Amino acid sequence: MGRLLALCATLFLLAGALPATAAHAEDGYDLWLRYRPLPAGLQTLDRGHATAIVADVDNRDPSVTKAAEELKRALGGMLGAAPAGTDIEAGAILLGTATDSRIRALGLPLASLGAEGYLIRSITIEGKPVTVIAANSGVGVLYGSFALIQRLQRGQPIDRLDIASTPKLKLRLLDHWDNLDRTVERGYAGQSIWDWWKLPDFKSQRYTDYARANASIGINGTVLNNVNAKADSLTAPYIAKAAALADVFRPYGIKVYLSARWSAPIELGHLKTADPLDPAVAAWWKTKADEIYAAIPDFGGFLVKANSEGQPGPQDYHRNHAQGANMLAAAVKPHGGIIMWRAFVYAQENPEDRAKQAYDDFKPLDGQFADNVIVQVKNGAIDFQPREPFHPLFGAMPKTPLMMEFQITKEYLGMATHLVYLGPLYEETLQADTWAHGKGSTVAKVIDGTLDHHALTGMAGVANIGSDRDWSGSTFNQANWFVFGRMAWNPDASAKAVAGEWSELTFGPDPQITAPVTDMMTISREAVVNYMEPLGLAHMMGTSHHYGPAPWVHELARPEWNPVYYHKADSTGIGFDRTRTSNAVAQYAPKVAAMFADPRTTPERDLLWFHHVAWDARMASGKTLWEELVAHYTLGVAQVADMHAKWRTLAPLIDPERYAKTDVFLSVQLREAQWWRDACLAYFMSVSGRPLPPGEAPPARTLTDYEAISFPYEPGR
Amino acid sequence: MGRLLALCATLFLLAGALPATAAHAEDGYDLWLRYRPLPAGLQTLDRGHATAIVADVDNRDPSVTKAAEELKRALGGMLGAAPAGTDIEAGAILLGTATDSRIRALGLPLASLGAEGYLIRSITIEGKPVTVIAANSGVGVLYGSFALIQRLQRGQPIDRLDIASTPKLKLRLLDHWDNLDRTVERGYAGQSIWDWWKLPDFKSQRYTDYARANASIGINGTVLNNVNAKADSLTAPYIAKAAALADVFRPYGIKVYLSARWSAPIELGHLKTADPLDPAVAAWWKTKADEIYAAIPDFGGFLVKANSEGQPGPQDYHRNHAQGANMLAAAVKPHGGIIMWRAFVYAQENPEDRAKQAYDDFKPLDGQFADNVIVQVKNGAIDFQPREPFHPLFGAMPKTPLMMEFQITKEYLGMATHLVYLGPLYEETLQADTWAHGKGSTVAKVIDGTLDHHALTGMAGVANIGSDRDWSGSTFNQANWFVFGRMAWNPDASAKAVAGEWSELTFGPDPQITAPVTDMMTISREAVVNYMEPLGLAHMMGTSHHYGPAPWVHELARPEWNPVYYHKADSTGIGFDRTRTSNAVAQYAPKVAAMFADPRTTPERDLLWFHHVAWDARMASGKTLWEELVAHYTLGVAQVADMHAKWRTLAPLIDPERYAKTDVFLSVQLREAQWWRDACLAYFMSVSGRPLPPGEAPPARTLTDYEAISFPYEPGR
C-alpha cells in the first residue's frame, strides 16, 4: 500500500495532481512546512529511517503527541505514506522526554539541553538502528521533531545524526499589533488572524497552523494585541477569547501575553487614578492578573507601551518607568508572569533629539527594575528604519535584562510588495559591538544574557502575519518570520545561511533555485537602503502611511514628525549632526562614541545619521558626497532590476502561482524604487542646487509632481 | 495513464489524500464547485459520455475556452482524469456557438435561447453519440457547461439530455458594499475581496475563482464598490483597478459596474455644483463616462444611492430622481451603459412613516425615466428585515423598469454565524401578488418584465462575499449566494428545490445528507423570524451594529431610528397602525390594500406590520396575541435546537472541518436565539404588564441586564 501510494504521489505530481486541490496547493498557506513528496531516490533512502514513530508509552505530554502528529504528516507527505510502525523496530523514530522510562534507559546527555533544547541521535536499541529525539520537555521533543523534518525537507541524510540544540534566548515572541476590530497597525497581510468576534466559540484551523509554524522555528510566545492597547482586551469576554487561543497554542509550547493599557484601572475599574504607587491601582492590577491566570494558568505576562506617542503611563503621575513596571510585575509575580516594558518612548513636548530620549529616560533606572521585568528595546533609536545604528541602550543597562524588539512587518520597507529580506538587518544589529565590556560585547551577547549574566532574555518581533492566504502578504515576507525565529533561537545565526535554508524549505532543495534566491535575499536589504535612505539617512517617508518618498515634508506641527528634521539637507550639505548639536554619540560606550563622533571613522553606511556633511566632501570612493548619494540611489534601482532578472530565470523551476505573484511584486518594487530615487533626487537637487552627475538619468517627473502624489486608503494605519 | 490516475485518485481518497493539501481541502474555498471524485459506479457510467472535449475550431471565444477549461477541471476531479480526446468521438462533448460551422451544421433550435441561454442535447454525429452544448454566445456555452457539470456533481445521468434554459432577467448582479479601505459595510466574511492596494498589478487567483463561482450560477455583473460611495473610485487609479478586474471577469460573462457618488463633479471636478441640469455637470459626467469606457469597453454602468441617509443627490438642487438619473443615463448611453437608481430613500427631516417615503418619492416619476435607467427597489419598504411585506412600488410603476434588490449578507439576521437560508425569503417576496393587473401579478412578473413589457430587467443582491477562506463567513451562507443566482436566473425557482441542489453540490449527492440539510435550510428563515421579530415586528435590533435585541431603544434623535417607532408596544397592545395613522396600506393595489387594511384578513405573519393589536386579541390559534407572541419566540429557539440536533446526526457523513464549524455556529445561534427571546420577552413583559403563560421559561436575566449588554468592535460597520 505504501509503495503504491508513493507511486501514485509521483504520478500525481507529474499529472498536476487533483485539479480541485491543486488550484490552491501552492498558494503559500503551507509556508515552509510544505512536505511535498521527495525525489524517489531520497524517498527510498529515508524510508529506511522512518519505519515507525514511537512515543514512549509513559508519555502523556500533549507536545509529544503533537510531535508525533507532525512527523506523521510530514513523513506522509514527503515519503508518500506515514510510517506504519508504532513500536521499536529498525528505522523507528523514538520520541520522549527525560522522565520517560525508555528514554531514561538510554542515558543520553540531556541535562545540558535546558528546558527547551533537544537532542537527535542515531542509536541502536536491542540491535535495531533507531533515531531518538529526546529533550527535557515535550516542547523540546517537538522542536527536535521539526528539526528532523526540516533535514528531510532539505534532502539531508538522517542516518547518522548527533545533533543537540538549545535556544540561547528564553523569550522568543511575536508581538501582534492587532486591534480588537481586526485591523492591524502596520499590517499588510489582510486583517488580524484573530477573529475576535467569533472567539472563543470558533477556533479556526488557522490558529493551529499558526502554532505549528511558530513551533517549527522555536517561537514560544505571542502578544495577541497591539501595544497601542485598548482596555477592553482585559475584560472578561476578551480574556475568554485569549484563553481559547492559549488552549490551542499550549501543546505547541506557545504562551499567550497581552498588551496592557496603562489606564485600564480608570477605564475598567472606575478608579480616579492609574498612579502605580496608589494601593488601589496595584490592587486592581493584582485582581485582574488573578482573573487572567484563572482562565490562562500559563499566561506569560504583560507588554506595556507607556508614555510614548500619546499613550498613558506612570509619568502622568510623576512616577518613572521602573515604578510603573514594578507595580505590574508584582501583580503577575505570584503566577510566574513577567512584564515586558518598552523603551520606545519619546515625548512630543521634549525638544531633545528624538534619538536620545529613550536612553535619557531609561539609563538612570538601571538596577531599579524588579527581577521579572525585562526592558524591550527597538534595534535602533528612531523607529525601524531601513538602517539604523544599534540602539545606545544595548550595553548601557548592565543591571537590567534587555530584550530586542525587531520589526518583521515592513512598515518602512515597501509594505507587502517589496522584497526585503530582513536577516541582514537583524544580523547587522546583533553583531554590532557595543564595547560595553570591551571588544566582542555584541548586541547578541547583551540580549542573550551572557554579557551581564541575566537569565531573563528575549527577542520580540512585530509580526507580519494576517488573514491573507499566504499569511504575510508575499512569499518572501514569510522568510522574515522564519529568520526572526531562527535568530531568536540563536542570535548568532547567519542571515545568509538561514536564507538558503528557508529557500530549500519553501521552494525545495534544488541548488538551481537556492543559489539565486539566496543571492536575491542577501542583496535585498541593501537595495532598499540604497533606493530609500542610503548613507545613514532615515525617516524620509510620507506622513502617516510611511510608504512613498517625502523628504520635502517640513510643515508638520512637531519638528520630529518632519523628514527635514532627520536629513537636515541645505545648500551646504546633508545629515544630522549628532556630535556637537545633540551629542547623541555620547550615549555609546567611549570606543563606539569616538568612532561615531568622527566622520572619518564613521562607517559610510551610517555617515549622515551622525554627521552633517558637505555635498562636496570626498568619500572613500573618491566621489563627492553628492555623487555618492546619487550613485547609491541609482544602484538601489539597479539592484532591484537585478533581483527581478534573477527571479525570471526561475520561471521554469517555481510553481506558477508563487512565481507569478513574486514576479508582479518585483515589477511593483522596481517601479517604486525608481519613484523613490527620482523623487528624492529631485528634492535633493533642489536643495543642493547641484546637477546630476553625467550619465545619471534625470527624474521622470518634476519635484512638484512628486510632492502632489497621494494615495488614500493605504493599508496598515 | 488515465485509468491509473483514476485508481490513484481512489487510493488517495482512501488514504486521506496528500496530507499537506488535505489539510485545507474542505475549508469551504471550493464552494459548490468541489469536483470531488464520484463513486466508482458513476465514474464508469459517466466516463463513457466524457471522452473528449471539443471546442469548435472556428471558435475563438474566450468564454468557450473557459468552458472547456472548467469541464476539464471538473471531469478531471470527478472522474479521476480529464478527457483525453480533442475531436469528435463516441462520448465527446462538443461546445460551440451558433456561428461555429460544426454547431451550425446541427440545425439546433438556438434562436429562442436569447443571448445567454443554452441548450444541452445528446445527439449523434456521424454515428457517434455526442453531447452538444450550444448557445448564441460564448457565455451561454459556459453556462451550459456548468449545468452539465452540476448534473454530474449531483449524480444525475448525462446520457439522454435535452435541456434548454434561458435567464428570465437581463441583469443578475452582485452589489458589493465594499469600501476602498477594504472594509465592507455589513460584511461579515473578512475584508473586501478586492485588494485595491495591490490592484491593478496583482490579480489574485481569488478573482478568477469568484468569476467561476458567479458564472456557475449565471450572475453576469458586479458592482464593485459600496453604494455609500467615495468619489475616489472614479479617479484614474481606481478606474485602472476596476479595469484589471473587468479583464479577469470578461471571459466569464461578468460586467463591472461602479457605484457613483453624486457629488463627484464637485469633489473631483472642482465644479461648484452637482445640479443635474447644469451643463457643466452633465459634461463632467460625460467625460468621466468616456474615460471609464476607454479603460473598460464593456463597462456596465452606474449604481446610485442619492438623497438617502445623508448621501448627496439631485434633490439638493431641487431636482427629482428622474432628472438625476437621466442626466447620468445620457452620459453612458452612447456606450450602451445603464443607470441603476436606488429607490431606497428616506429623509431624516421627513416626518412621514418611513415605509411610505420611497413610494411617495418615486411613484409620481413613473414614465419620466430614460430608457437606460432601471429603478432598484428593496424587497420591502424598510430595510432587509427578517420579514417584510413586499415593497409597494412593485406593480406601482408600470412605465418604469424596476429591479429587485435583495440582501444576501445577513445584516439583520445574525451576521456570519446564524444559519438562515434566504431562499424562502426571496421566494415569498417574488411570489407575492401585487394585483397590479389582477390576480397573478406577482413581484416576479414585475421584475422579469412580463407584466408591463419591459426589456430591461434585473435583480441585485448585496453580496456576502469577503476575504474569508470560505468566502461568505460560513458554509451555509454560501447557499444564499447560490440561491440568489438561481432566482436571478429564474425568479420562479423553488427555494426548497434550490436548497436540495445546493446541498448535493456542497456536501455530495447523498440523500442521507440532502434531506436533513434541506429541512434545516427550509425552516431556518422562519426560525429567525420567530426568535427575532415574529408576527410582523421589525427593526428591533441594537443601534448601529444591527446585531442583538434592543426593542427598548427609544432615545435616539430621530423617531425612525428607534425600535419603539416600529413596534409601538404599550400597555394596551403592540404594532404599527399603517391604516388610520399612516395609511401606508393605500400604497398597494386596492385588493392588497383591502387585505392589509383589515386585521382579520391580514396574514398573521404580517399582522403587527400593519396593525396595532390589543395584547388580548384572539389569534387564529385561539391564543391571545400576547400568548402567541411568546409562543413564537419560544418556537424560534426550539427550531434552532432542532436544526442543531439534525446537524449532529450528520457528524459521520460530513468532513470534519466543515462539520465542526457549522456545529459551533449552531451553538452560537442557539445561545443567541435564546438571548433574543429572553431579552424581547423581558421587555415586552415590562411594557404589557403581562406574565408569561404557564410553562414558559422566564428570561434568564433581568431586563436591566439585557439593556446593559454591549459589544464593541462588531464587524460590518
Side-chain angles (χ1 to χ4, degrees):
Chain A
M1 182 78 178
R3 292 204 166 265
L4 184 48
L5 276 170
L7 169 65
C8 288
T10 310
L11 281 171
F12 267 101
L13 275 184
L14 292 170
L18 287 169
T21 51
H24 22 97
E26 291 295 5
D27 56 15
Y29 185 81
D30 292 333
L31 294 162
W32 49 88
L33 305 91
R34 286 171 58 254
Y35 307 156
R36 297 297 188 279
L38 295 170
L42 278 178
Q43 284 186 326
T44 307
L45 277 176
D46 291 336
R47 273 193 205 110
H49 305 287
T51 58
I53 296 169
V54 186
D56 196 292
V57 286
D58 300 347
N59 210 311
R60 297 281 180 276
D61 190 305
S63 300
V64 176
T65 304
K66 294 298 181 193
E69 281 176 18
E70 192 73 26
L71 279 163
K72 276 179 199 146
R73 172 201 286 255
L75 295 168
M78 290 190 280
L79 305 184
T86 56
D87 207 345
I88 297 294
E89 59 180 270
I93 299 170
L94 172 63
L95 314 178
T97 64
T99 55
D100 298 343
S101 57
R102 197 139 39 176
I103 298 294
R104 214 166 47 232
L106 297 174
L108 297 166
L110 302 182
S112 61
L113 296 175
E116 297 179 297
Y118 60 83
L119 181 148
I120 310 175
R121 195 174 278 190
S122 306
I123 58 169
T124 303
I125 298 181
E126 296 166 9
K128 297 161 187 159
V130 165
T131 306
V132 62
I133 304 177
N136 291 308
S137 67
V139 72
V141 175
L142 181 62
Y143 291 153
S145 299
F146 274 114
L148 183 70
I149 289 168
Q150 288 163 8
R151 284 192 69 85
L152 279 156
Q153 286 179 276
R154 298 173 64 194
Q156 297 173 332
I158 56 164
D159 54 340
R160 292 182 186 195
L161 299 179
D162 188 4
I163 298 169
S165 186
T166 299
K168 290 190 182 173
L169 301 182
K170 188 172 173 188
L171 308 172
R172 305 179 299 279
L173 308 192
L174 293 179
D175 286 3
H176 285 267
W177 287 359
D178 292 19
N179 299 315
L180 304 183
D181 64 1
R182 247 186 130 175
T183 57
V184 181
E185 184 173 330
R186 310 306 174 185
Y188 311 107
Q191 292 181 292
S192 169
I193 68 164
W194 319 133
D195 188 348
W196 293 114
W197 184 255
K198 297 202 189 98
L199 281 167
D201 298 286
F202 179 61
K203 301 197 243 314
S204 166
Q205 173 64 30
R206 208 173 172 99
Y207 305 151
T208 300
D209 291 331
Y210 166 91
R212 289 176 51 236
N214 278 321
S216 79
I217 52 175
I219 287 172
N220 67 357
T222 178
V223 186
L224 298 175
N225 61 316
N226 192 353
V227 287
N228 292 317
K230 298 282 189 185
D232 306 76
S233 70
L234 302 173
T235 59
Y238 281 88
I239 292 170
K241 294 167 195 280
L245 290 173
D247 290 343
V248 175
F249 300 159
R250 190 167 293 112
Y252 295 96
I254 296 166
K255 283 188 185 180
V256 155
Y257 299 74
L258 290 173
S259 292
R261 181 161 169 87
W262 180 260
S263 51
I266 300 172
E267 293 160 41
L268 301 182
H270 307 295
L271 302 186
K272 291 212 161 37
T273 178
D275 182 347
L277 300 194
D278 185 311
V281 172
W284 187 89
W285 280 109
K286 172 144 194 357
T287 304
K288 183 53 70 180
D290 293 347
E291 180 189 355
I292 294 171
Y293 277 95
I296 312 172
D298 57 350
F299 178 68
F302 294 122
L303 171 65
V304 185
K305 173 177 181 176
N307 292 118
S308 177
E309 299 185 318
Q311 291 294 316
Q315 293 178 340
D316 301 346
Y317 308 93
H318 309 291
R319 315 299 183 190
N320 64 37
H321 287 289
Q323 289 171 311
N326 293 348
M327 182 274 290
L328 286 180
V332 297
K333 175 103 180 172
H335 306 285
I338 61 151
I339 301 300
M340 296 172 285
W341 194 269
R342 289 176 95 230
F344 175 68
V345 296
Y346 69 99
Q348 293 178 10
E349 55 280 5
N350 187 346
E352 181 58 274
D353 178 3
R354 176 175 160 189
K356 291 179 65 181
Q357 296 184 30
Y359 181 101
D360 289 349
D361 263 19
F362 278 83
K363 165 76 178 165
L365 301 177
D366 190 27
Q368 297 183 30
F369 288 94
D371 64 1
N372 61 331
V373 174
I374 187 164
V375 173
Q376 183 166 315
V377 183
K378 289 190 182 183
N379 59 288
I382 297 297
D383 193 14
F384 301 134
Q385 297 304 294
R387 167 167 282 131
E388 300 191 33
F390 73 88
H391 200 296
L393 276 175
F394 291 113
M397 295 183 70
K399 296 179 199 156
T400 308
L402 301 187
M403 67 189 284
M404 175 64 73
E405 178 177 315
F406 281 129
Q407 197 173 45
I408 307 173
T409 188
K410 304 211 309 297
E411 173 178 359
Y412 297 99
L413 299 165
M415 299 186 182
T417 41
H418 293 208
L419 195 167
V420 184
Y421 171 57
L422 295 174
L425 188 160
Y426 300 162
E427 185 178 42
E428 181 177 298
T429 306
L430 291 165
Q431 296 310 319
D433 198 338
T434 70
W435 283 81
H437 298 327
K439 187 166 170 54
S441 304
T442 59
V443 172
K445 289 202 171 75
V446 173
I447 66 161
D448 73 12
T450 54
L451 197 66
D452 293 305
H453 314 294
H454 292 298
L456 184 57
T457 58
M459 188 186 293
V462 180
N464 67 350
I465 296 162
S467 63
D468 273 3
R469 183 64 183 166
D470 71 3
W471 300 86
S472 301
S474 85
T475 304
F476 278 87
N477 286 342
Q478 298 175 353
N480 292 329
W481 178 7
F482 184 86
V483 69
F484 170 79
R486 282 286 188 261
M487 292 207 176
W489 185 277
N490 175 16
D492 291 316
S494 148
K496 185 165 183 177
V498 173
E501 186 187 358
W502 174 82
S503 178
E504 291 187 342
L505 297 175
T506 302
F507 298 117
D510 177 348
Q512 283 194 277
I513 299 174
T514 309
V517 164
T518 305
D519 285 352
M520 289 167 62
M521 292 169 75
T522 303
I523 200 65
S524 63
R525 188 276 187 125
E526 212 57 43
V528 75
V529 169
N530 286 333
Y531 67 73
M532 284 188 180
E533 299 174 337
L535 296 171
L537 292 174
H539 207 290
M540 302 206 309
M541 68 291 162
T543 307
S544 305
H545 49 69
H546 299 177
Y547 193 61
W552 46 79
V553 171
H554 63 279
E555 73 283 7
L556 304 178
R558 291 283 314 165
E560 76 277 8
W561 294 351
N562 292 289
V564 298
Y565 170 89
Y566 297 93
H567 64 67
K568 299 195 190 300
D570 57 27
S571 62
T572 67
I574 183 171
F576 196 129
D577 177 5
R578 290 197 160 96
T579 58
R580 282 154 302 181
T581 310
S582 83
N583 203 24
V585 294
Q587 293 184 336
Y588 289 101
K591 188 94 180 179
V592 180
M595 175 181 72
F596 285 148
D598 186 342
R600 290 166 304 179
T601 55
T602 303
E604 281 191 2
R605 66 184 192 191
D606 296 322
L607 184 64
L608 305 180
W609 184 279
F610 290 110
H611 302 281
H612 191 80
V613 181
W615 293 114
D616 297 326
R618 284 291 152 194
M619 306 293 285
S621 63
K623 293 193 181 85
T624 67
L625 170 63
W626 170 245
E627 291 163 347
E628 192 71 51
L629 185 73
V630 174
H632 272 79
Y633 274 109
T634 302
L635 176 62
V637 179
Q639 287 169 319
V640 176
D642 186 54
M643 283 157 57
H644 199 178
K646 277 205 170 63
W647 183 252
R648 292 208 154 168
T649 67
L650 298 175
L653 302 174
I654 309 265
D655 49 281
E657 189 167 343
R658 290 191 299 175
Y659 173 78
K661 189 169 184 174
T662 295
D663 185 52
V664 166
F665 286 5
L666 282 163
S667 302
V668 171
Q669 186 175 9
L670 184 57
R671 186 178 70 219
E672 295 184 345
Q674 189 73 48
W675 169 36
W676 267 92
R677 172 202 179 269
D678 286 359
C680 290
L681 291 185
Y683 171 72
F684 288 131
M685 287 164 74
S686 79
V687 175
S688 71
R690 278 160 174 76
L692 290 177
E696 287 285 355
R701 299 166 68 180
T702 69
L703 177 57
T704 311
D705 287 342
Y706 291 116
E707 290 180 350
I709 294 174
S710 73
F711 23 84
Y713 313 113
E714 72 282 3
R717 269 216 277 177
Chain B
M1 183 78 179
R3 293 206 164 266
L4 183 50
L5 275 171
L7 168 67
C8 288
T10 310
L11 281 170
F12 266 102
L13 275 185
L14 292 171
L18 287 170
T21 51
H24 23 96
E26 291 295 4
D27 56 14
Y29 185 80
D30 292 333
L31 294 163
W32 49 86
L33 306 91
R34 288 170 57 253
Y35 307 156
R36 298 297 188 278
L38 295 170
L42 279 178
Q43 285 186 327
T44 306
L45 277 176
D46 291 336
R47 273 192 205 112
H49 306 286
T51 57
I53 296 168
V54 187
D56 194 294
V57 286
D58 299 347
N59 210 311
R60 297 281 181 275
D61 190 304
S63 300
V64 176
T65 304
K66 294 299 181 192
E69 281 176 19
E70 193 72 26
L71 279 163
K72 274 179 201 146
R73 173 201 286 253
L75 296 168
M78 291 190 280
L79 306 183
T86 55
D87 208 345
I88 298 293
E89 59 180 271
I93 300 170
L94 172 63
L95 313 177
T97 65
T99 57
D100 297 343
S101 58
R102 198 142 35 178
I103 298 293
R104 216 166 45 231
L106 298 173
L108 298 166
L110 301 182
S112 60
L113 296 175
E116 297 179 297
Y118 59 84
L119 181 147
I120 310 174
R121 195 176 278 192
S122 306
I123 57 169
T124 303
I125 297 180
E126 296 165 11
K128 298 162 186 157
V130 164
T131 306
V132 63
I133 304 176
N136 291 309
S137 67
V139 72
V141 174
L142 180 62
Y143 292 153
S145 300
F146 274 115
L148 183 71
I149 289 169
Q150 289 163 7
R151 285 191 68 86
L152 280 156
Q153 287 179 275
R154 298 173 65 195
Q156 298 174 329
I158 56 165
D159 54 340
R160 293 182 185 192
L161 298 179
D162 188 4
I163 298 169
S165 186
T166 298
K168 291 190 180 173
L169 301 182
K170 187 172 172 189
L171 308 171
R172 305 179 300 278
L173 308 192
L174 293 179
D175 286 3
H176 285 267
W177 286 1
D178 292 19
N179 299 314
L180 303 183
D181 64 1
R182 245 187 133 175
T183 58
V184 181
E185 183 174 329
R186 310 306 175 185
Y188 311 108
Q191 292 181 293
S192 169
I193 68 164
W194 319 133
D195 188 348
W196 293 114
W197 184 255
K198 298 200 190 101
L199 283 168
D201 298 287
F202 178 61
K203 300 194 246 313
S204 166
Q205 173 63 31
R206 207 174 172 98
Y207 306 151
T208 300
D209 291 330
Y210 166 91
R212 290 175 50 236
N214 279 321
S216 78
I217 51 175
I219 288 171
N220 67 357
T222 178
V223 184
L224 298 175
N225 60 317
N226 192 353
V227 287
N228 292 317
K230 298 283 190 185
D232 306 76
S233 69
L234 302 173
T235 59
Y238 281 88
I239 292 170
K241 293 167 196 281
L245 291 173
D247 290 343
V248 175
F249 300 159
R250 190 167 292 111
Y252 295 96
I254 296 166
K255 282 188 184 179
V256 154
Y257 299 74
L258 290 174
S259 291
R261 181 161 169 87
W262 180 261
S263 51
I266 300 172
E267 293 161 41
L268 301 182
H270 306 295
L271 302 187
K272 292 214 160 40
T273 178
D275 181 349
L277 300 194
D278 186 310
V281 172
W284 187 89
W285 280 108
K286 173 144 194 356
T287 304
K288 183 53 70 180
D290 293 347
E291 180 189 356
I292 294 171
Y293 278 95
I296 312 172
D298 56 350
F299 178 67
F302 294 122
L303 171 65
V304 185
K305 173 177 181 175
N307 292 119
S308 178
E309 299 184 318
Q311 290 295 317
Q315 292 179 341
D316 301 346
Y317 308 94
H318 309 291
R319 315 300 183 190
N320 64 37
H321 287 290
Q323 289 171 311
N326 293 348
M327 181 274 290
L328 286 180
V332 297
K333 175 101 180 173
H335 306 286
I338 61 150
I339 302 301
M340 296 171 286
W341 194 270
R342 289 176 96 230
F344 177 68
V345 297
Y346 67 100
Q348 294 178 9
E349 54 282 4
N350 187 347
E352 183 57 273
D353 177 3
R354 176 175 159 189
K356 291 178 66 181
Q357 296 184 31
Y359 181 100
D360 288 350
D361 263 19
F362 278 82
K363 165 76 178 165
L365 302 176
D366 190 28
Q368 297 183 28
F369 288 95
D371 64 1
N372 61 331
V373 174
I374 186 164
V375 173
Q376 183 167 315
V377 183
K378 289 190 182 183
N379 59 287
I382 298 297
D383 192 14
F384 301 135
Q385 297 303 294
R387 167 166 282 130
E388 298 191 33
F390 72 88
H391 200 297
L393 275 174
F394 291 114
M397 294 183 70
K399 297 177 200 157
T400 308
L402 301 186
M403 67 189 284
M404 174 64 72
E405 178 177 315
F406 281 129
Q407 197 173 44
I408 307 173
T409 188
K410 302 210 311 298
E411 173 179 359
Y412 297 99
L413 300 165
M415 300 186 182
T417 42
H418 293 208
L419 195 168
V420 183
Y421 171 57
L422 295 174
L425 188 159
Y426 300 161
E427 185 178 43
E428 181 177 299
T429 306
L430 292 164
Q431 296 311 318
D433 198 338
T434 70
W435 282 81
H437 298 327
K439 187 164 170 56
S441 304
T442 59
V443 172
K445 289 201 172 77
V446 173
I447 67 161
D448 74 11
T450 54
L451 196 67
D452 293 305
H453 313 295
H454 292 296
L456 185 56
T457 59
M459 188 187 291
V462 180
N464 67 349
I465 297 161
S467 64
D468 273 5
R469 183 65 182 165
D470 71 3
W471 300 87
S472 301
S474 85
T475 304
F476 279 86
N477 286 341
Q478 297 176 353
N480 293 328
W481 178 8
F482 184 86
V483 69
F484 170 79
R486 282 287 188 258
M487 293 207 176
W489 185 276
N490 175 17
D492 291 316
S494 148
K496 186 165 183 178
V498 174
E501 186 187 356
W502 174 82
S503 178
E504 291 187 342
L505 297 175
T506 302
F507 299 118
D510 177 347
Q512 284 193 278
I513 299 174
T514 309
V517 164
T518 305
D519 285 350
M520 290 168 61
M521 292 170 74
T522 303
I523 199 66
S524 64
R525 188 279 186 122
E526 213 55 44
V528 76
V529 169
N530 286 332
Y531 66 72
M532 284 187 181
E533 299 174 336
L535 296 172
L537 292 174
H539 207 291
M540 302 206 308
M541 68 292 164
T543 307
S544 304
H545 48 69
H546 299 177
Y547 194 62
W552 46 79
V553 171
H554 63 279
E555 72 283 7
L556 305 178
R558 288 285 312 163
E560 77 277 7
W561 293 350
N562 292 288
V564 299
Y565 170 89
Y566 297 92
H567 63 66
K568 301 198 189 300
D570 56 27
S571 62
T572 67
I574 183 172
F576 195 128
D577 178 5
R578 290 197 161 96
T579 58
R580 281 154 302 182
T581 310
S582 83
N583 203 24
V585 294
Q587 292 184 338
Y588 289 101
K591 189 93 178 179
V592 179
M595 177 182 69
F596 285 149
D598 185 342
R600 290 166 304 179
T601 55
T602 303
E604 280 191 4
R605 67 185 192 190
D606 295 323
L607 185 65
L608 305 180
W609 185 277
F610 290 112
H611 303 282
H612 191 79
V613 181
W615 292 115
D616 296 328
R618 285 288 150 195
M619 307 292 285
S621 63
K623 293 194 181 90
T624 66
L625 170 63
W626 170 246
E627 291 163 347
E628 192 71 51
L629 185 73
V630 174
H632 272 79
Y633 272 109
T634 301
L635 175 62
V637 179
Q639 287 169 319
V640 176
D642 185 54
M643 282 157 57
H644 199 180
K646 278 205 171 63
W647 183 253
R648 293 209 153 166
T649 67
L650 297 175
L653 302 175
I654 308 264
D655 49 280
E657 189 167 345
R658 291 191 300 174
Y659 173 78
K661 189 170 185 176
T662 296
D663 186 51
V664 166
F665 285 4
L666 282 164
S667 303
V668 171
Q669 186 175 8
L670 185 56
R671 186 177 70 219
E672 295 185 343
Q674 189 73 48
W675 170 37
W676 267 92
R677 173 201 179 268
D678 287 359
C680 290
L681 291 185
Y683 171 72
F684 288 131
M685 286 164 74
S686 79
V687 175
S688 71
R690 279 161 174 74
L692 290 177
E696 286 284 355
R701 300 166 67 181
T702 68
L703 178 57
T704 312
D705 287 342
Y706 291 116
E707 290 179 351
I709 294 173
S710 74
F711 23 85
Y713 313 115
E714 74 282 1
R717 268 216 279 175

